[in-house]
Amino acid sequence: MNVFIYDAVTEKYKKTTRRFEEKINTLGLQGKIVYLQSIKNHRETIEQEIRNGAKTIIILGNDQTVNNVINILANISENVPVFIVPIGTNNSIAESMGIKNEKEAAFILSARRMENIKIAKANHLFFINNCQISNKSTNLKIDNSYSVYSQKETKYKVVNLTDKESFLKEIKSSPQDNILELIIKNKGNDISVFPIKKNLEINNDQEKILLDNSIKIDSPASISISDKTMSFIVGKERLF
Amino acid sequence: MFKKDQKFENFTEAETIIGESVLVKGNFESNGNLIINGSLEGEIKTKGAVLIGEKSKINANISAQEMMVKGNVVGNLNISDYLAIGENAKILGDIKCSQISIERGAEINGQVSISNQGNKKEKNIEIEKIEINNSL
């Protein structure tokens, strides 16, 4: 059974959501709908759906929705395939997975092309795409052996899935190689790339770390690949 | 591995890239290729190749399979295979390698030891002290 998880953002983008539903009905992929805004305990509800035999978890929302659900699923032992339907703005995770819009999404779900993806971790929270922080007053230590400093104002970005910005610069990050990439981009071709094989320690008592363009956490933080692998249904035009 | 500079301009060839505005401090170990256009203080060990760009400032001992130096290095170089030194390179340190090429204009201040282990018939070349200041 398909379980569709609707975030509150679907209320704001009713037409988009409706277009996806129409395609799903045409393709005969209907299933149960769970509205996150109407339940108090997201974790308990999703766990219950998996116990009831959910075959695919389909998330309708943006990066924040995906991060929220991934943090629930990553703590569940069953590996139920996940699919993302981008609704509204801030959909870089869906974009990395080759799912550009709700119209394409229904067909990609139907094709069921599966990839296993390693999820990354920042302290006790999971993220799938990237995390970033301003370089101002930030100290970084990679694999407990060397420190990295940018001498110009920029952002430090740790990437698990290749996003569009990296893809255009021909920097590819595979979420299947157990390595994260620290990317520091300054003007022009002044780009740095460092593989993170064990962990990255971030220290900054002024700025917060942004996970998946949605969740902010304090430092110090230890960033690494987690031991959790999840299956995702992806599009042919995925960026990794 | 590389034989031409152009190979380094392709990001996919290098596991690590240190850009112009970045400083790295510490011990850097890798199995892949490394491009440095910025600054590094510490030590580099890689089983791959290292390109040191013209604007780079390196204060480190370096062990690698292959290496091309176009910038400034203060430290000893231990290269198991091929070392190429560009016209604007300035190296202050001892060099060990199997093969070497040095462009006119390069500055080297240190002991250079070239030992071709691949060809047993060939004698090792040991140069006690070599200083090349725009003299090649």
Side-chain angles (χ1 to χ4, degrees), chain A residues 85-109:
Chain A
V85 182
I87 303 288
T89 54
N90 296 328
N91 284 299
S92 61
I93 301 174
E95 190 176 55
S96 294
M97 297 211 182
I99 309 158
K100 286 181 192 160
N101 54 51
E102 78 288 349
K103 286 181 205 165
E104 282 185 10
F107 294 107
I108 293 169
L109 176 61

Side-chain angles (χ1 to χ4, degrees), chain A residues 177-214:
Chain A
D177 62 1
N178 287 319
I179 298 173
L180 295 168
E181 272 81 26
L182 167 67
I183 297 174
I184 305 169
K185 189 175 164 292
N186 282 304
K187 281 181 185 168
N189 286 326
D190 185 3
I191 294 174
S192 299
V193 182
F194 297 91
I196 301 165
K197 294 177 181 173
K198 293 176 190 159
N199 70 327
L200 169 71
E201 298 291 338
I202 301 180
N203 265 295
N204 186 332
D205 45 19
Q206 293 170 25
E207 303 271 340
K208 287 184 185 287
I209 303 165
L210 183 65
L211 307 183
D212 281 343
N213 301 310
S214 53

Side-chain angles (χ1 to χ4, degrees), chain A residues 14-238:
Chain A
K14 278 183 181 167
K15 279 185 185 171
T16 308
T17 307
R18 185 67 201 145
R19 278 198 295 270
F20 173 71
E21 287 168 342
E22 282 167 6
K23 293 279 180 201
I24 286 296
N25 290 339
T26 309
L27 294 165
L29 296 170
Q30 303 93 320
K32 183 174 178 180
I33 297 175
V34 174
Y35 294 94
L36 287 182
Q37 69 269 34
S38 61
I39 51 174
K40 278 185 182 171
N41 194 330
H42 295 175
R43 183 192 197 105
E44 199 175 281
T45 306
I46 291 170
E47 278 179 352
Q48 186 60 46
E49 292 304 333
I50 289 171
R51 277 198 295 275
N52 290 344
K55 294 289 179 218
T56 310
I57 298 286
I58 298 143
I59 305 167
L60 281 81
N62 54 24
D63 286 346
Q64 187 165 359
T65 324
V66 176
N67 182 280
N68 176 21
V69 177
I70 292 303
N71 269 284
I72 295 169
L73 294 173
N75 288 302
I76 297 172
S77 56
E78 286 90 345
N79 183 16
V80 179
V82 177
F83 182 66
I84 302 163
V85 182
I87 303 288
T89 54
N90 296 328
N91 284 299
S92 61
I93 301 174
E95 190 176 55
S96 294
M97 297 211 182
I99 309 158
K100 286 181 192 160
N101 54 51
E102 78 288 349
K103 286 181 205 165
E104 282 185 10
F107 294 107
I108 293 169
L109 176 61
S110 167
R112 237 182 141 71
R113 182 179 288 106
M114 210 91 79
E115 289 285 348
N116 288 328
I117 289 176
K118 282 272 194 176
I119 308 299
K121 218 174 173 183
N123 291 341
H124 62 283
L125 279 176
F126 293 92
F127 67 94
I128 184 164
N129 209 0
N130 62 53
C131 71
Q132 48 192 300
I133 186 169
S134 154
N135 74 316
K136 202 177 170 189
S137 308
T138 300
N139 290 314
L140 303 179
K141 189 145 199 178
I142 297 179
D143 294 343
N144 303 317
S145 58
Y146 63 95
S147 303
V148 174
Y149 310 87
S150 173
Q151 292 158 334
K152 288 184 182 167
E153 196 173 317
T154 185
K155 269 189 304 190
Y156 295 138
K157 190 170 176 184
V158 179
V159 177
N160 186 34
L161 288 182
T162 308
D163 58 15
K164 200 167 185 182
E165 189 184 24
S166 303
F167 186 77
L168 293 173
K169 291 282 179 188
E170 295 181 37
I171 305 167
K172 282 208 164 188
S173 300
S174 167
Q176 295 159 329
D177 62 1
N178 287 319
I179 298 173
L180 295 168
E181 272 81 26
L182 167 67
I183 297 174
I184 305 169
K185 189 175 164 292
N186 282 304
K187 281 181 185 168
N189 286 326
D190 185 3
I191 294 174
S192 299
V193 182
F194 297 91
I196 301 165
K197 294 177 181 173
K198 293 176 190 159
N199 70 327
L200 169 71
E201 298 291 338
I202 301 180
N203 265 295
N204 186 332
D205 45 19
Q206 293 170 25
E207 303 271 340
K208 287 184 185 287
I209 303 165
L210 183 65
L211 307 183
D212 281 343
N213 301 310
S214 53
I215 309 295
K216 285 184 176 175
I217 64 164
D218 288 319
S219 67
S222 178
I223 314 290
S224 61
I225 284 286
S226 76
D227 53 8
K228 184 74 186 177
T229 302
M230 292 175 66
S231 301
F232 285 83
I233 296 169
V234 299
K236 248 196 295 189
E237 293 179 25
R238 63 193 177 279

Side-chain angles (χ1 to χ4, degrees), chain B residues 78-89:
Chain B
N78 191 347
I79 309 303
S80 59
D81 195 351
Y82 175 61
L83 171 65
I85 300 174
E87 58 182 346
N88 296 316

